[in-house]
Amino acid sequence: PPERRLLRSMVDYVTARWDDPDQGIWEMRGPPRHHVYGKIMAWVAVDRALRLFGPCREWSRLRDRIYDTVLEHGVDGRSDHLKLAFDDAGVDAALLMIPKLDFPLPDRILEATVDAVERQLKQGDYVYRYRTEDGLPGNEGAFLMCSFWLVDALLFLGREAQARALYERLLRCGNDLGLYSKEIEPDTGEFLGNFPQAFTHLALIESASHLDLCARGGPAALRGTQADRARLDVEATAGLKAIWAAFKKTRRVGRLRSSRASILPATHAKCGDKPQIESDPKP
């Protein structure tokens, strides 16, 4: 019950605030604006609530209203792509995540959006977050996680060969340990910003998962929500099914039982004391 109340309160918040302007996912300086990605994420919140709780006329009407607003104000009339904001015909890299959200966008708009991101934000294999003025001096590098988002978007459009080729090139730009920073200088390949950056590595792993799903199940395996894809990807998490699923993927099975070295003793001294861990007995 507490979780249900919490989730319902999130929908109440979206109901009250979805049409407010904001700073967007990139927290841009300057006056608040109606960012398209934020509106679509409001739609996602209501859509997932309906999937969790079942039919609700009020929520269904709200979801339809957000959808209609995005198509009316969030699509560029000339190029047919999603815009960065209602008042800005440019694009931002967050729009590359739209195919993964199960938002019912017409194919022509989705394709035009990905093409616009490549045209406006891509330099070599790297994608900038945005090119619009954000109230800060100087220029930032390209965001590496956005390049992996492009891999996903291309894959969801059915451009598997292009997506896989880009992914392989991005793998080669990691350092000698396979680690990545937050940003990169496209002209020199120099890492910039936080290092190592978790967001970049999470995006890399997600792209690998999507490429694997597509190779095993074709484009149909990518449809739906993140939860739908996770079920296909994981297959099973416990029991004999999990062992079989792991063997199918790796052709090997690790330990079936935890080693004694991995088990903390049942009793400890005071909180904060270093626990004494037994090692495996010698044979």
Side-chain angles (χ1 to χ4, degrees), residues 15 59 92 98:
T15 300
W59 289 356
D92 72 311
I98 302 303

Side-chain angles (χ1 to χ4, degrees), residues 1 13 15 17 32 34 46 74 82 98 147 185 209 250 256 267 282:
Y13 183 85
T15 300
R17 304 297 297 272
H34 293 281
V46 181
L82 290 175
I98 302 303
S147 295
E185 169 52 55
S209 172
T250 65
L256 299 182
T267 58
K282 294 181 180 181

Side-chain angles (χ1 to χ4, degrees), residues 16 20 44 47 67 70 88 95 102 114 123 127 137 147 156 188 201 209 228-229 234-235 237 251 253 277:
D20 290 351
V44 170
D47 177 74
Y67 179 79
V70 168
D88 191 332
L95 298 174
D102 206 26
V114 176
Q123 184 174 337
V127 179
S147 295
F156 277 72
T188 65
H201 296 88
S209 172
D228 295 327
R229 290 185 292 276
V234 173
E235 295 189 73
T237 58
R251 291 296 183 266
V253 175
I277 302 176

Side-chain angles (χ1 to χ4, degrees), residues 244-262:
W244 173 241
F247 178 74
K248 282 195 300 181
K249 284 190 175 183
T250 65
R251 291 296 183 266
R252 65 184 180 85
V253 175
R255 295 185 69 107
L256 299 182
R257 299 180 63 185
S258 298
S259 69
R260 293 180 62 187
S262 69

